[in-house]
Amino acid sequence: MSRKLVRPRQGRMLAGVCAGLARRFGTSAGMIRLLFLLSLLLPGTQVIVYLALWIIMPNEDRHLATSH
């Protein structure tokens, strides 16, 4: 299990943000996706945070290429 915050190439639905967060915190991607969907019922900036993480979190292959 990787402890780096990266967007994996496998297990993505849209951008891989939820899959990356799930891998980082050791939980299932389905649970993170469910929490995100439930959070959309509340007022807030959830979509903006998701988009920001999409931009900030590197792809897994790009991260592996630069770490060698």
Side-chain angles (χ1 to χ4, degrees), residues 1-15:
M1 173 177 17
S2 172
R3 299 307 281 173
K4 302 286 184 191
L5 189 56
V6 296
R7 294 182 294 126
R9 296 301 300 163
Q10 296 180 347
R12 288 182 172 192
M13 288 204 109
L14 289 175

Side-chain angles (χ1 to χ4, degrees), residues 26-27 36 43 47 56 63 65:
T27 187
F36 176 72
V47 175
I56 294 169
H63 176 72

Side-chain angles (χ1 to χ4, degrees), residues 2-59:
S2 172
R3 299 307 281 173
K4 302 286 184 191
L5 189 56
V6 296
R7 294 182 294 126
R9 296 301 300 163
Q10 296 180 347
R12 288 182 172 192
M13 288 204 109
L14 289 175
V17 173
C18 291
L21 289 171
R23 184 184 287 183
R24 168 65 175 91
F25 294 110
T27 187
S28 72
M31 179 60 72
I32 298 293
R33 289 178 184 125
L34 178 64
L35 289 173
F36 176 72
L37 288 174
L38 289 175
S39 77
L40 291 176
L41 299 173
L42 302 170
T45 59
Q46 299 87 333
V47 175
I48 295 171
V49 171
Y50 185 90
L51 293 173
L53 285 173
W54 188 350
I55 293 168
I56 294 169
M57 287 172 64
N59 276 330

